[in-house]
Amino acid sequence: MRKITSVISVLMAASLVLAACGSNNNNGNAASSSAPAAATPASSPADTGSAAPADDPTQVKATISIYFPTPDKVQERKLEDDKIARFNQVYPNVEIIKSDWQYNPNEIGIKMGANEAPTLFNTYATEGKFLVEKGWAADITELWNSYEKKDQFNKTLSSQFIIDGKVYGIPQRGYITATVVNTKMLKDKGIAPPPFNWTWDDMLNTAKAAADPNAGISGFAPMGKGNEAGWNWTNFLFAAGGDIQTVDSKVTAAFNSDAGLKAIEFYNKLKWEANAIPQDWALGWGDAVGAFAQGRTAMVIAGASDPVDQALNQGGMSPSDIEVYPNAAAPGGSHAGIIGGDFLVINPNASKDEQAMAFRYAVFDYFNDDFLTSLDANIEARKAENKYFIPPVFEYFDMTSEFGQKVKAVYEKHDNVYQYKQEFLDLLDAKLEAQYNTQDYYAAMTNVIQEVFSKQGVDMKASLDATAKTVQEKFYDTIQL
């Protein structure tokens, strides 16, 4: 469920940082709507691994294929054309082939087997181990280590494609789920906003106090339909210390643990004890985030920037009306939030020169003044429209780095940039989604959630066990490790 990248892509499309165009997260994050990478003509066979560029890379002759935005993305196509033209001014002997094939985990094996996969393609955070185990991602460790700006990358994002000490992917953008709270609603009702270091009890009590079912106001709007329902609930599973699956010699369902039971019992309390969720609880991602922007719920969980963007730029709220919190901590647990992101991966079948040029193309607009100039212009344009600029929580770069400080300086020039509180940032506990069949797990958990929301007295342990058994037999048992 990854529509959050729809907000992040406002920044990325307006800037010249787009090395490709986002991704549809197969892993259910109702948060991103941009499309991943590109198919190309067959790359020439190559040695495995990667090598640093030649002494004079501007003279290298190579053909690489990149994702090119689909025809409906007019502005993004213009930006990519501009990037290609600028890249060829520096590397005139590199032919760039454009393709609008979008990464699909069900197609990548076919593409690799037919030697038709792109030289450089987009994927998402959860695909790292899968691609590496299948041999479908080039080891770019040497290229990475020779890149002079590598230390300025966001380490939280980068680490997701560093496997056994080797680098296999280049971060583009990321998100982490958080709880966005309408603090104005709380104060108007005489409810003290919870502390940033809040607990499930704090969340339950706040949601119960804020809810006004007769007026159509809920205290918390969980997602209750589509795979996003399972995705939303997984934040509570993680906060309780649970996991979706374990992976050793086989993949085993783990979400029917004590932590999973605590998490589904908490949902049961929100519905039947607190009466704090919407009466019509079958909300998709857009429904839940939209309810928050419209002032019909006090809290929603999503990638942080999306609810903020909708509340400020569509709901007419001001920054003082809302607050972004880490997810509430379970007893003995943490403020865990699902982290995800978009990455660029290089085809291991490409030649060393092709891999080197693909890497150079991927980072061509990174860490440069074009980004800063475009970012500044984009923020100024939004101000002229009385709109706020909402940055993502995670950029491809580290905000404490030299380049990150330059970006921060641009933000500080403008009074229409939303600022996340340091208390929120300090408490974040990012946890990656499962590596295998995550969408299938989300769909299965959605059935459990709907059962709990629709009737009282559900045997929640039995329901979790039955669902884990189904997921295990139908999906996990078919995985060959």
Side-chain angles (χ1 to χ4, degrees):
M1 311 293 85
R2 308 183 15 103
K3 288 175 185 163
I4 184 159
T5 310
S6 64
V7 173
I8 298 176
S9 62
V10 172
L11 164 60
M12 295 302 179
S15 70
L16 297 177
V17 170
L18 268 175
C21 285
S23 75
N24 278 332
N25 191 338
N26 138 60
N27 288 317
N29 174 352
S32 170
S33 55
S34 38
T40 76
S43 301
S44 57
D47 298 333
T48 57
S50 63
D55 291 340
D56 186 359
T58 64
Q59 301 305 309
V60 170
K61 293 184 178 180
T63 297
I64 64 172
S65 51
I66 63 159
Y67 168 77
F68 194 71
T70 49
D72 58 305
K73 297 179 172 65
V74 176
Q75 184 60 36
E76 292 180 11
R77 288 168 74 95
K78 290 179 180 177
L79 288 169
E80 204 69 25
D81 275 331
D82 176 69
K83 179 180 176 180
I84 291 169
R86 289 182 290 104
F87 185 83
N88 280 144
Q89 287 178 350
V90 179
Y91 305 102
N93 298 317
V94 176
E95 180 185 4
I96 297 176
I97 297 175
K98 301 181 287 189
S99 172
D100 59 5
W101 179 78
Q102 300 181 21
Y103 177 84
N104 184 323
N106 296 320
E107 296 177 2
I108 185 63
I110 298 170
K111 292 290 184 182
M112 283 290 179
N115 205 25
E116 294 177 349
T119 315
L120 181 70
F121 60 91
N122 279 35
T123 189
Y124 20 91
T126 53
E127 297 296 282
K129 190 172 183 180
F130 167 72
L131 291 171
V132 171
E133 288 179 347
K134 293 293 186 180
W136 296 338
D139 174 2
I140 59 170
T141 306
E142 190 173 349
L143 291 166
W144 179 273
N145 287 338
S146 65
Y147 181 49
E148 65 276 10
K149 302 291 181 65
K150 70 178 186 301
D151 292 335
Q152 298 194 55
F153 274 112
N154 184 317
K155 293 178 177 59
T156 301
L157 288 183
S158 302
S159 65
Q160 296 174 62
F161 266 70
I162 299 177
I163 299 172
D164 295 331
K166 297 180 179 180
V167 184
Y168 294 93
I170 305 160
Q172 290 183 284
R173 60 191 71 85
Y175 75 91
I176 185 170
T177 56
T179 306
V180 188
V181 179
N182 186 330
T183 50
K184 182 178 186 300
M185 178 188 292
L186 300 184
K187 293 172 184 176
D188 287 348
K189 292 187 174 186
I191 306 166
F196 281 96
N197 191 20
W198 62 333
T199 65
W200 279 6
D201 284 344
D202 293 327
M203 184 180 190
L204 183 72
N205 294 332
T206 302
K208 182 177 181 178
D212 185 352
N214 292 330
I217 304 296
S218 68
F220 169 56
M223 296 165 197
K225 73 175 182 181
N227 288 11
E228 54 261 61
W231 169 75
N232 227 208
W233 175 82
T234 296
N235 290 281
F236 293 89
L237 170 69
F238 286 171
D243 286 298
I244 297 170
Q245 60 193 212
T246 59
V247 182
D248 39 51
S249 60
K250 62 179 291 188
V251 179
T252 305
F255 58 88
N256 58 327
S257 59
D258 288 345
L261 183 58
K262 289 177 183 177
I264 200 65
E265 286 175 343
F266 185 68
Y267 261 35
N268 189 67
K269 288 181 180 180
L270 286 166
K271 168 61 179 174
W272 299 109
E273 293 184 21
N275 195 21
I277 71 171
Q279 298 299 302
D280 180 8
W281 45 260
L283 305 178
W285 185 95
D287 304 317
V289 173
F292 182 81
Q294 295 157 17
R296 293 187 288 109
T297 190
M299 291 181 273
V300 69
I301 291 178
S305 60
D306 263 4
V308 174
D309 181 59
Q310 288 203 24
L312 300 188
N313 293 323
Q314 300 178 37
M317 298 184 194
S318 69
S320 61
D321 294 337
I322 63 175
E323 197 66 78
V324 180
Y325 281 73
N327 292 330
S334 70
H335 296 285
I338 295 172
I339 184 175
D342 295 337
F343 287 78
L344 289 167
V345 172
I346 295 174
N347 190 330
N349 294 327
S351 70
K352 290 187 180 295
D353 280 345
E354 289 167 349
Q355 290 186 25
M357 288 299 106
F359 184 89
R360 287 179 176 273
Y361 186 86
V363 300
F364 188 69
D365 279 334
Y366 279 17
F367 304 107
N368 65 34
D369 290 343
D370 285 342
F371 178 94
L372 301 174
T373 300
S374 183
L375 175 63
D376 185 66
N378 180 264
I379 297 172
E380 194 65 39
R382 293 182 74 78
K383 184 174 184 178
E385 299 172 352
N386 294 316
K387 301 289 186 183
Y388 289 92
F389 178 83
I390 319 298
V393 175
F394 286 140
E395 303 273 13
Y396 71 87
F397 50 85
D398 185 339
M399 284 299 294
T400 65
S401 68
E402 178 185 351
F403 187 74
Q405 290 303 299
K406 291 179 180 179
V407 172
K408 184 179 179 182
V410 173
Y411 289 164
E412 291 175 347
K413 285 175 54 181
H414 303 275
D415 59 6
N416 64 320
V417 176
Y418 183 79
Q419 301 286 346
Y420 300 102
K421 296 286 181 60
Q422 193 60 45
E423 296 96 319
F424 157 67
L425 297 173
D426 289 343
L427 288 167
L428 287 178
D429 182 13
K431 188 172 176 67
L432 190 63
E433 294 163 288
Q435 291 286 324
Y436 300 96
N437 293 88
T438 314
Q439 283 278 18
D440 300 309
Y441 150 75
Y442 286 147
M445 270 310 304
T446 293
N447 294 330
V448 178
I449 292 160
Q450 291 180 344
E451 183 183 23
V452 169
F453 283 167
S454 62
K455 58 184 178 183
Q456 287 183 279
V458 172
D459 186 336
M460 289 173 278
K461 175 59 175 171
S463 184
L464 280 176
D465 285 343
T467 302
K469 184 175 185 291
T470 298
V471 171
Q472 183 69 46
E473 294 176 350
K474 189 174 181 180
F475 303 110
Y476 296 168
D477 284 347
T478 67
I479 299 170
Q480 301 290 324
L481 296 181

